[in-house]
């Protein structure tokens, strides 16, 4: 403790886990365990954060909190990657901790958890130096089956190059469970938080907003 006090008074800046997470976010790199949902610690961390979010939501008066049931939000507390990625899931037994089922509209569906599948079929983060090259190969594939085979071949080639054993898993499930880190740039204003809703935009609506943003940018340029 005396060392820490002397360090602070000497003008050094002290940072903790929160500051480290902010640095990772600003640098565009994954932060452990938040950005690694395929790991046991990542899942445990997500459940702890989800429980805290749910407790805070329950303490908020109904008139001042978001009604996830009316919005049709399937999982407001936990990121349900298995459902999004289309990975087989099974239902939890009665009495299990539910952070999702209470918000499902008009149903009493139990919370879903990953089914017992061969190793390597859950969600995982694709973090590799040649990720862009892998994406270029996948774009040129004829279909999902070819993409799955290509992804497995590229990963096995990288593992063999590093002296590791090849992956022996289902290529389709491996492809479905692959997650990549992306960066969202707000077109105008906005400050999205964790677990913020991202809505799908169709081709027509996308063209409309592209036209609106382009027109707004031209007007702003003329004013300057």
């Amino acid at each position: 403790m005396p060392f820490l006090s002397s360090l602070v008074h000497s003008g050094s800046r002290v940072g903790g886990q929160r500051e480290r997470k902010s640095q990772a976010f600003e640098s565009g790199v994954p932060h452990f365990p938040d950005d690694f949902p395929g790991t046991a610690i990542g899942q445990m961390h997500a459940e702890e954060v989800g429980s805290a979010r749910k407790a805070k939501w329950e303490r908020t008066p109904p008139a001042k909190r978001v009604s996830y049931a009316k919005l049709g939000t399937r999982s407001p507390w936990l990121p349900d990657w298995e459902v999004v990625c289309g990975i087989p899931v099974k239902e939890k037994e009665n009495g299990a901790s539910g952070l999702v089922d209470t918000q499902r509209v008009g149903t009493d569906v139990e919370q879903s958890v990953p089914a017992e599948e061969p190793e390597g079929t859950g969600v995982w983060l694709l973090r590799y130096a040649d990720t862009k090259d892998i994406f270029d190969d996948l774009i040129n594939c004829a279909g999902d089956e070819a993409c799955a085979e290509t992804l497995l071949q590229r990963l096995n080639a990288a593992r063999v190059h590093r002296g590791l054993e090849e992956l022996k898993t289902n290529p389709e499930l491996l492809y479905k469970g692959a997650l990549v880190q992306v960066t969202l740039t707000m077109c105008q204003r906005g400050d999205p938080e964790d677990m913020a809703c991202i809505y799908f935009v169709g081709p027509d609506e996308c063209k409309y907003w592209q036209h609106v943003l382009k027109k707004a940018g031209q007007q702003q340029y003329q004013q300057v």
Side-chain angles (χ1 to χ4, degrees), residues 93-149:
E93 297 179 357
N94 294 332
S97 174
L99 295 178
V100 182
D101 56 343
T102 56
Q103 296 304 320
R104 299 200 175 180
V105 183
T107 61
D108 264 339
V109 181
E110 298 287 344
Q111 181 185 359
S112 298
V113 296
E116 294 182 357
E117 294 287 343
E119 183 180 359
T121 59
V123 295
W124 57 284
L125 180 65
L126 176 58
R127 187 177 178 221
Y128 181 51
D130 295 334
T131 300
K132 185 178 181 300
D133 295 336
I134 294 178
F135 265 90
D136 293 338
D137 292 343
L138 297 180
I139 291 175
N140 297 324
C141 291
D144 291 343
E145 184 176 352
C147 288
E149 293 291 345

Side-chain angles (χ1 to χ4, degrees), residues 134-207:
I134 294 178
F135 265 90
D136 293 338
D137 292 343
L138 297 180
I139 291 175
N140 297 324
C141 291
D144 291 343
E145 184 176 352
C147 288
E149 293 291 345
T150 301
L151 177 61
L152 182 59
Q153 292 175 3
R154 290 297 303 268
L155 294 179
N156 282 334
R159 292 177 64 87
V160 171
H161 181 70
R162 288 164 174 76
L164 302 175
E165 295 182 359
E166 293 186 358
L167 295 174
K168 301 184 182 301
T169 184
N170 188 322
E172 181 182 357
L173 294 179
L174 182 71
Y175 173 68
K176 286 184 176 180
L179 302 177
V180 293
Q181 185 182 20
V182 299
T183 300
L184 297 181
T185 303
M186 307 304 296
C187 295
Q188 292 182 340
R189 294 180 298 175
D191 185 18
E193 299 178 351
D194 292 343
M195 296 296 294
C197 295
I198 300 178
Y199 296 93
F200 174 77
V201 178
D204 295 337
E205 188 174 0
C206 182
K207 292 180 180 179

